Amino acid sequence: MIQIVQQLLFVAAIGLTGYLVTKRARFIYRNIQLGKKDIEVQGDKNKRLANMFRLAFGQQKMFDRPVVGIMHFAVYAGFLLINIEVLEIVIDGLTGQHRIFSNVIPSGVYHFLGSFFEVMALLVTVSCFIFLIRRNALRIPRFHMDEMKGWPYRDANYILYAEIILMTMLFSMNATDAVLQTLGNEHYPPVGTFAVSQFFVPIFAGLSETALVAIERTAWWVHILGIFAFAVYVTYSKHLHIFLAFPNTFFAKMEPKGQMSNMDSVTNEVKIMLGMPVDNTDAGESDEMPTFGAKDVQDLSWRNVMNAYSCTECGRCTSQCPANITGKKLSPRKVMMDVRDRAEEIGKNIDANGGTFQDDGKSLYGDFISKEELMACTSCNACAEACPINIDPLGIILDMRRYVAMEESGTPQEWNMVFQNIENNQAPWAFAASDRFKWGEELRTQEIKKTKTEEQDA
Ligand code: SF4
Ligand code: SF4
């Protein structure tokens, strides 16, 4: 009877987890689709796949800082590999069996895998402790900037605590299991002890069988329910990058970093002005007033929004940003966090209003990202270069700055003069194109004079 109740509870837990994760995944996918769909995903598929394997799977850029890179890789690999062990737990939970794979896998292999997972779990635990120390005791500056106050700071810690608890439960579960095997309890097949949990066995060795079963079952339930809760929590957390890093690196911008995209409408206008053929024959003939740049999330591209949901909040971009380093208000990490927060807000608005966005009087520009932040950017691309998963904060900044310049005419006076010069003189300087070579005239005159003098002297 107790066994059936446990199985029913397990089915309910897995069903609830599946429902919550699916609901949230649909919400995020719909929010990413809020962005414009008119970007071209360039570069061939094989290059994109290689990029994804290198950056998301191989975490290549994380190894720019080798020690942290190794620890991060341990946590990541542990997360992936321990899921194989979770598969057994799920099947056990559904069928009411215990260590079901031990019946189908040769005992030596089963023992090796059990030990291997425990070694990975130990590496995860140690790495999580070190990450907690870096964040909370050593207080690495990039983890304590303004945008990291409150929830982002707590989020990073919660996930580390959760991983330590999950791994501790795994060791406790396996250690008590090992003692129960020696007592001949028939529910626990004789798989022996594993590499790490064997050192915990003495802690439980003197306990009664009832107490051991209670501890083993509690650890088992906390471990698996913790994993289910983790799966739901991750979709609300910066740790969503565990999954989104893959599509994010696959669809990442492949063009050279310094290459800026032109606005078709402006390009066509210039071409018309210069009497050149335009790509789009409808250019300039549409009744709709074109809008320039991005004021809100809907004006960005879907890739920009996916970038925002993929951001790990690691702050590597901000720590390399010359504007931030020199004390300006700009932080590319905050830009990404703001885009995500605004996308969430719009998504909730749409859900609350039967699928249609009702104007809330707010926008990404102004309410989340200020003009001061946008204007501080030097367009150097150091942020994009530093990002371990190819996020492009500059693309968002440029689009928003285009809005400020072209829709609001809100750029500084010095910039306006440059724009005016480009428009009138096709150069940023205040001289007509016809005067462009005047600077050389004097030199030429001097040269002629010099030659004449030399000829006379001769
Ligand atoms: S491109 Fe802008 S945001 Fe990025 S690092 Fe350079 S100045 Fe900072
Ligand atoms: S944009 Fe990239 S580098 Fe910057 S915080 Fe996000 S993940 Fe880290």
Side-chain angles (χ1 to χ4, degrees), residues 45-60 76 243-252 254 388-390:
K45 209 170 152 196
N46 289 340
K47 275 194 189 151
R48 296 191 161 278
L49 278 173
N51 203 41
M52 184 178 85
F53 276 103
R54 210 166 33 83
L55 296 176
F57 198 71
Q59 306 199 355
Q60 187 195 43
Y76 163 74
F243 304 107
L244 282 187
F246 290 88
N248 196 70
T249 45
F250 182 80
F251 290 111
M254 299 287 274
I389 51 169
N390 265 15

mmCIF file of all heavy atoms in Angstrom, residues 45-60 76 243-252 254 388-390:
data_model
loop_
_atom_site.group_PDB
_atom_site.id
_atom_site.type_symbol
_atom_site.label_atom_id
_atom_site.label_comp_id
_atom_site.label_asym_id
_atom_site.label_seq_id
_atom_site.Cartn_x
_atom_site.Cartn_y
_atom_site.Cartn_z
ATOM 1 N N LYS A 45 25.410 26.202 -41.914
ATOM 2 C CA LYS A 45 24.921 25.447 -40.764
ATOM 3 C C LYS A 45 26.065 24.736 -40.024
ATOM 4 O O LYS A 45 26.074 24.663 -38.794
ATOM 5 C CB LYS A 45 23.911 24.421 -41.263
ATOM 6 C CG LYS A 45 22.855 24.058 -40.269
ATOM 7 C CD LYS A 45 21.802 23.250 -40.962
ATOM 8 C CE LYS A 45 21.145 22.318 -39.986
ATOM 9 N NZ LYS A 45 20.382 21.265 -40.624
ATOM 10 N N ASN A 46 27.045 24.222 -40.808
ATOM 11 C CA ASN A 46 28.147 23.495 -40.169
ATOM 12 C C ASN A 46 28.983 24.408 -39.281
ATOM 13 O O ASN A 46 29.414 24.025 -38.198
ATOM 14 C CB ASN A 46 29.044 22.854 -41.237
ATOM 15 C CG ASN A 46 28.325 21.706 -41.898
ATOM 16 O OD1 ASN A 46 27.368 21.172 -41.330
ATOM 17 N ND2 ASN A 46 28.749 21.353 -43.089
ATOM 18 N N LYS A 47 29.178 25.661 -39.776
ATOM 19 C CA LYS A 47 29.950 26.610 -38.967
ATOM 20 C C LYS A 47 29.182 26.931 -37.689
ATOM 21 O O LYS A 47 29.760 27.088 -36.616
ATOM 22 C CB LYS A 47 30.175 27.892 -39.760
ATOM 23 C CG LYS A 47 31.364 27.840 -40.656
ATOM 24 C CD LYS A 47 31.715 29.231 -41.132
ATOM 25 C CE LYS A 47 32.777 29.151 -42.214
ATOM 26 N NZ LYS A 47 32.709 30.234 -43.146
ATOM 27 N N ARG A 48 27.879 27.026 -37.825
ATOM 28 C CA ARG A 48 27.048 27.338 -36.653
ATOM 29 C C ARG A 48 27.091 26.184 -35.646
ATOM 30 O O ARG A 48 27.198 26.389 -34.443
ATOM 31 C CB ARG A 48 25.595 27.583 -37.071
ATOM 32 C CG ARG A 48 25.450 28.778 -37.937
ATOM 33 C CD ARG A 48 24.038 29.219 -38.167
ATOM 34 N NE ARG A 48 24.115 30.583 -38.618
ATOM 35 C CZ ARG A 48 24.257 31.624 -37.803
ATOM 36 N NH1 ARG A 48 24.250 31.445 -36.513
ATOM 37 N NH2 ARG A 48 24.376 32.829 -38.279
ATOM 38 N N LEU A 49 27.025 24.963 -36.195
ATOM 39 C CA LEU A 49 27.085 23.798 -35.295
ATOM 40 C C LEU A 49 28.437 23.760 -34.582
ATOM 41 O O LEU A 49 28.510 23.507 -33.367
ATOM 42 C CB LEU A 49 26.889 22.511 -36.090
ATOM 43 C CG LEU A 49 25.429 22.149 -36.398
ATOM 44 C CD1 LEU A 49 25.365 20.960 -37.327
ATOM 45 C CD2 LEU A 49 24.659 21.849 -35.108
ATOM 46 N N ALA A 50 29.513 24.047 -35.356
ATOM 47 C CA ALA A 50 30.860 24.043 -34.758
ATOM 48 C C ALA A 50 30.938 25.097 -33.655
ATOM 49 O O ALA A 50 31.496 24.854 -32.573
ATOM 50 C CB ALA A 50 31.904 24.312 -35.836
ATOM 51 N N ASN A 51 30.348 26.252 -33.927
ATOM 52 C CA ASN A 51 30.334 27.337 -32.940
ATOM 53 C C ASN A 51 29.624 26.878 -31.658
ATOM 54 O O ASN A 51 30.068 27.121 -30.542
ATOM 55 C CB ASN A 51 29.585 28.528 -33.558
ATOM 56 C CG ASN A 51 29.955 29.826 -32.918
ATOM 57 O OD1 ASN A 51 31.113 30.059 -32.621
ATOM 58 N ND2 ASN A 51 28.977 30.677 -32.689
ATOM 59 N N MET A 52 28.515 26.203 -31.866
ATOM 60 C CA MET A 52 27.724 25.733 -30.719
ATOM 61 C C MET A 52 28.519 24.702 -29.897
ATOM 62 O O MET A 52 28.571 24.792 -28.668
ATOM 63 C CB MET A 52 26.421 25.112 -31.224
ATOM 64 C CG MET A 52 25.483 24.680 -30.135
ATOM 65 S SD MET A 52 23.970 24.022 -30.821
ATOM 66 C CE MET A 52 24.455 22.338 -31.110
ATOM 67 N N PHE A 53 29.161 23.762 -30.575
ATOM 68 C CA PHE A 53 29.905 22.737 -29.837
ATOM 69 C C PHE A 53 31.111 23.344 -29.115
ATOM 70 O O PHE A 53 31.420 22.974 -27.993
ATOM 71 C CB PHE A 53 30.342 21.605 -30.776
ATOM 72 C CG PHE A 53 29.246 20.599 -30.964
ATOM 73 C CD1 PHE A 53 28.488 20.572 -32.116
ATOM 74 C CD2 PHE A 53 28.922 19.704 -29.952
ATOM 75 C CE1 PHE A 53 27.449 19.676 -32.278
ATOM 76 C CE2 PHE A 53 27.886 18.797 -30.089
ATOM 77 C CZ PHE A 53 27.144 18.779 -31.261
ATOM 78 N N ARG A 54 31.731 24.304 -29.777
ATOM 79 C CA ARG A 54 32.920 24.935 -29.192
ATOM 80 C C ARG A 54 32.560 25.765 -27.956
ATOM 81 O O ARG A 54 33.174 25.643 -26.910
ATOM 82 C CB ARG A 54 33.550 25.835 -30.265
ATOM 83 C CG ARG A 54 35.013 26.021 -30.190
ATOM 84 C CD ARG A 54 35.586 26.623 -31.471
ATOM 85 N NE ARG A 54 34.735 27.555 -32.172
ATOM 86 C CZ ARG A 54 34.616 28.838 -31.887
ATOM 87 N NH1 ARG A 54 35.297 29.358 -30.911
ATOM 88 N NH2 ARG A 54 33.797 29.613 -32.571
ATOM 89 N N LEU A 55 31.524 26.578 -28.086
ATOM 90 C CA LEU A 55 31.229 27.546 -27.028
ATOM 91 C C LEU A 55 30.242 27.031 -25.981
ATOM 92 O O LEU A 55 30.433 27.236 -24.782
ATOM 93 C CB LEU A 55 30.685 28.837 -27.637
ATOM 94 C CG LEU A 55 31.684 29.578 -28.536
ATOM 95 C CD1 LEU A 55 31.038 30.776 -29.179
ATOM 96 C CD2 LEU A 55 32.900 30.021 -27.739
ATOM 97 N N ALA A 56 29.180 26.376 -26.425
ATOM 98 C CA ALA A 56 28.167 25.931 -25.452
ATOM 99 C C ALA A 56 28.553 24.587 -24.848
ATOM 100 O O ALA A 56 28.545 24.407 -23.629
ATOM 101 C CB ALA A 56 26.800 25.838 -26.126
ATOM 102 N N PHE A 57 28.924 23.644 -25.701
ATOM 103 C CA PHE A 57 29.250 22.312 -25.192
ATOM 104 C C PHE A 57 30.665 22.277 -24.616
ATOM 105 O O PHE A 57 30.883 21.809 -23.508
ATOM 106 C CB PHE A 57 29.083 21.299 -26.333
ATOM 107 C CG PHE A 57 28.979 19.893 -25.855
ATOM 108 C CD1 PHE A 57 27.845 19.458 -25.187
ATOM 109 C CD2 PHE A 57 30.014 18.999 -26.059
ATOM 110 C CE1 PHE A 57 27.751 18.157 -24.721
ATOM 111 C CE2 PHE A 57 29.928 17.705 -25.602
ATOM 112 C CZ PHE A 57 28.789 17.280 -24.932
ATOM 113 N N GLY A 58 31.625 22.821 -25.393
ATOM 114 C CA GLY A 58 33.028 22.782 -24.943
ATOM 115 C C GLY A 58 33.411 23.919 -24.023
ATOM 116 O O GLY A 58 34.477 23.907 -23.424
ATOM 117 N N GLN A 59 32.550 24.938 -23.935
ATOM 118 C CA GLN A 59 32.783 26.089 -23.052
ATOM 119 C C GLN A 59 34.149 26.727 -23.272
ATOM 120 O O GLN A 59 34.824 27.111 -22.314
ATOM 121 C CB GLN A 59 32.635 25.665 -21.597
ATOM 122 C CG GLN A 59 31.324 24.998 -21.345
ATOM 123 C CD GLN A 59 30.962 24.976 -19.886
ATOM 124 O OE1 GLN A 59 31.717 25.376 -19.023
ATOM 125 N NE2 GLN A 59 29.777 24.531 -19.619
ATOM 126 N N GLN A 60 34.538 26.835 -24.533
ATOM 127 C CA GLN A 60 35.891 27.282 -24.858
ATOM 128 C C GLN A 60 36.269 28.610 -24.182
ATOM 129 O O GLN A 60 37.338 28.741 -23.610
ATOM 130 C CB GLN A 60 36.024 27.416 -26.372
ATOM 131 C CG GLN A 60 37.432 27.699 -26.812
ATOM 132 C CD GLN A 60 37.472 28.194 -28.252
ATOM 133 O OE1 GLN A 60 36.662 29.007 -28.667
ATOM 134 N NE2 GLN A 60 38.400 27.683 -29.005
ATOM 135 N N TYR A 76 29.156 21.780 -14.843
ATOM 136 C CA TYR A 76 28.333 21.578 -16.038
ATOM 137 C C TYR A 76 28.326 20.094 -16.444
ATOM 138 O O TYR A 76 27.275 19.497 -16.686
ATOM 139 C CB TYR A 76 28.905 22.476 -17.132
ATOM 140 C CG TYR A 76 28.490 22.162 -18.523
ATOM 141 C CD1 TYR A 76 27.200 22.469 -18.960
ATOM 142 C CD2 TYR A 76 29.382 21.589 -19.427
ATOM 143 C CE1 TYR A 76 26.824 22.195 -20.264
ATOM 144 C CE2 TYR A 76 29.007 21.319 -20.722
ATOM 145 C CZ TYR A 76 27.730 21.626 -21.134
ATOM 146 O OH TYR A 76 27.365 21.346 -22.412
ATOM 147 N N PHE A 243 20.446 25.642 -20.844
ATOM 148 C CA PHE A 243 19.773 25.151 -22.055
ATOM 149 C C PHE A 243 19.909 26.140 -23.218
ATOM 150 O O PHE A 243 20.197 25.751 -24.339
ATOM 151 C CB PHE A 243 18.281 24.906 -21.771
ATOM 152 C CG PHE A 243 18.068 23.956 -20.629
ATOM 153 C CD1 PHE A 243 17.623 24.407 -19.399
ATOM 154 C CD2 PHE A 243 18.359 22.607 -20.780
ATOM 155 C CE1 PHE A 243 17.461 23.530 -18.338
ATOM 156 C CE2 PHE A 243 18.204 21.716 -19.726
ATOM 157 C CZ PHE A 243 17.750 22.187 -18.501
ATOM 158 N N LEU A 244 19.696 27.431 -22.918
ATOM 159 C CA LEU A 244 19.641 28.401 -24.018
ATOM 160 C C LEU A 244 21.001 28.718 -24.623
ATOM 161 O O LEU A 244 21.077 29.266 -25.716
ATOM 162 C CB LEU A 244 18.962 29.690 -23.545
ATOM 163 C CG LEU A 244 17.438 29.634 -23.463
ATOM 164 C CD1 LEU A 244 16.857 31.003 -23.152
ATOM 165 C CD2 LEU A 244 16.832 29.097 -24.741
ATOM 166 N N ALA A 245 22.079 28.365 -23.930
ATOM 167 C CA ALA A 245 23.409 28.610 -24.511
ATOM 168 C C ALA A 245 23.540 27.879 -25.852
ATOM 169 O O ALA A 245 24.245 28.356 -26.747
ATOM 170 C CB ALA A 245 24.494 28.139 -23.552
ATOM 171 N N PHE A 246 22.838 26.770 -26.007
ATOM 172 C CA PHE A 246 22.962 25.989 -27.251
ATOM 173 C C PHE A 246 22.326 26.715 -28.438
ATOM 174 O O PHE A 246 23.020 27.012 -29.410
ATOM 175 C CB PHE A 246 22.398 24.578 -27.052
ATOM 176 C CG PHE A 246 23.271 23.749 -26.157
ATOM 177 C CD1 PHE A 246 23.099 23.773 -24.780
ATOM 178 C CD2 PHE A 246 24.290 22.985 -26.692
ATOM 179 C CE1 PHE A 246 23.931 23.046 -23.945
ATOM 180 C CE2 PHE A 246 25.131 22.244 -25.864
ATOM 181 C CZ PHE A 246 24.951 22.275 -24.493
ATOM 182 N N PRO A 247 21.019 27.023 -28.393
ATOM 183 C CA PRO A 247 20.479 27.789 -29.534
ATOM 184 C C PRO A 247 21.119 29.160 -29.662
ATOM 185 O O PRO A 247 21.287 29.681 -30.764
ATOM 186 C CB PRO A 247 18.981 27.913 -29.209
ATOM 187 C CG PRO A 247 18.841 27.611 -27.775
ATOM 188 C CD PRO A 247 19.975 26.701 -27.419
ATOM 189 N N ASN A 248 21.519 29.746 -28.530
ATOM 190 C CA ASN A 248 22.098 31.088 -28.585
ATOM 191 C C ASN A 248 23.409 31.103 -29.365
ATOM 192 O O ASN A 248 23.653 31.998 -30.170
ATOM 193 C CB ASN A 248 22.335 31.600 -27.165
ATOM 194 C CG ASN A 248 22.562 33.084 -27.148
ATOM 195 O OD1 ASN A 248 21.646 33.852 -27.381
ATOM 196 N ND2 ASN A 248 23.792 33.501 -26.923
ATOM 197 N N THR A 249 24.252 30.111 -29.154
ATOM 198 C CA THR A 249 25.521 30.065 -29.891
ATOM 199 C C THR A 249 25.290 29.595 -31.327
ATOM 200 O O THR A 249 26.018 29.990 -32.237
ATOM 201 C CB THR A 249 26.545 29.155 -29.191
ATOM 202 O OG1 THR A 249 25.881 27.938 -28.807
ATOM 203 C CG2 THR A 249 27.131 29.797 -27.965
ATOM 204 N N PHE A 250 24.279 28.776 -31.534
ATOM 205 C CA PHE A 250 23.999 28.321 -32.900
ATOM 206 C C PHE A 250 23.527 29.489 -33.766
ATOM 207 O O PHE A 250 23.951 29.637 -34.912
ATOM 208 C CB PHE A 250 22.933 27.216 -32.883
ATOM 209 C CG PHE A 250 22.620 26.673 -34.251
ATOM 210 C CD1 PHE A 250 23.453 25.743 -34.860
ATOM 211 C CD2 PHE A 250 21.509 27.116 -34.954
ATOM 212 C CE1 PHE A 250 23.183 25.266 -36.140
ATOM 213 C CE2 PHE A 250 21.233 26.642 -36.231
ATOM 214 C CZ PHE A 250 22.070 25.712 -36.822
ATOM 215 N N PHE A 251 22.656 30.322 -33.213
ATOM 216 C CA PHE A 251 22.098 31.429 -33.997
ATOM 217 C C PHE A 251 22.873 32.733 -33.811
ATOM 218 O O PHE A 251 22.439 33.789 -34.267
ATOM 219 C CB PHE A 251 20.634 31.673 -33.607
ATOM 220 C CG PHE A 251 19.704 30.574 -34.062
ATOM 221 C CD1 PHE A 251 19.104 29.727 -33.151
ATOM 222 C CD2 PHE A 251 19.459 30.393 -35.409
ATOM 223 C CE1 PHE A 251 18.254 28.710 -33.570
ATOM 224 C CE2 PHE A 251 18.608 29.373 -35.845
ATOM 225 C CZ PHE A 251 18.012 28.528 -34.921
ATOM 226 N N ALA A 252 24.016 32.654 -33.139
ATOM 227 C CA ALA A 252 24.776 33.887 -32.843
ATOM 228 C C ALA A 252 25.207 34.601 -34.120
ATOM 229 O O ALA A 252 25.319 33.996 -35.188
ATOM 230 C CB ALA A 252 26.011 33.545 -32.026
ATOM 231 N N MET A 254 27.391 35.833 -36.829
ATOM 232 C CA MET A 254 28.651 35.262 -37.327
ATOM 233 C C MET A 254 29.472 36.278 -38.115
ATOM 234 O O MET A 254 30.621 36.019 -38.464
ATOM 235 C CB MET A 254 28.362 34.055 -38.234
ATOM 236 C CG MET A 254 27.646 32.915 -37.541
ATOM 237 S SD MET A 254 28.710 32.020 -36.427
ATOM 238 C CE MET A 254 29.454 30.844 -37.539
ATOM 239 N N PRO A 388 31.064 34.601 -22.918
ATOM 240 C CA PRO A 388 31.356 33.186 -23.176
ATOM 241 C C PRO A 388 30.347 32.506 -24.090
ATOM 242 O O PRO A 388 30.623 31.438 -24.614
ATOM 243 C CB PRO A 388 31.333 32.552 -21.772
ATOM 244 C CG PRO A 388 30.687 33.534 -20.879
ATOM 245 C CD PRO A 388 30.778 34.885 -21.514
ATOM 246 N N ILE A 389 29.173 33.118 -24.278
ATOM 247 C CA ILE A 389 28.194 32.449 -25.150
ATOM 248 C C ILE A 389 27.731 33.368 -26.293
ATOM 249 O O ILE A 389 26.577 33.313 -26.718
ATOM 250 C CB ILE A 389 26.991 31.899 -24.346
ATOM 251 C CG1 ILE A 389 26.383 32.967 -23.426
ATOM 252 C CG2 ILE A 389 27.387 30.682 -23.556
ATOM 253 C CD1 ILE A 389 25.063 32.545 -22.823
ATOM 254 N N ASN A 390 28.651 34.198 -26.753
ATOM 255 C CA ASN A 390 28.425 35.009 -27.967
ATOM 256 C C ASN A 390 27.217 35.935 -27.923
ATOM 257 O O ASN A 390 26.545 36.115 -28.931
ATOM 258 C CB ASN A 390 28.282 34.083 -29.179
ATOM 259 C CG ASN A 390 29.585 33.906 -29.910
ATOM 260 O OD1 ASN A 390 30.632 34.238 -29.363
ATOM 261 N ND2 ASN A 390 29.523 33.392 -31.116
#
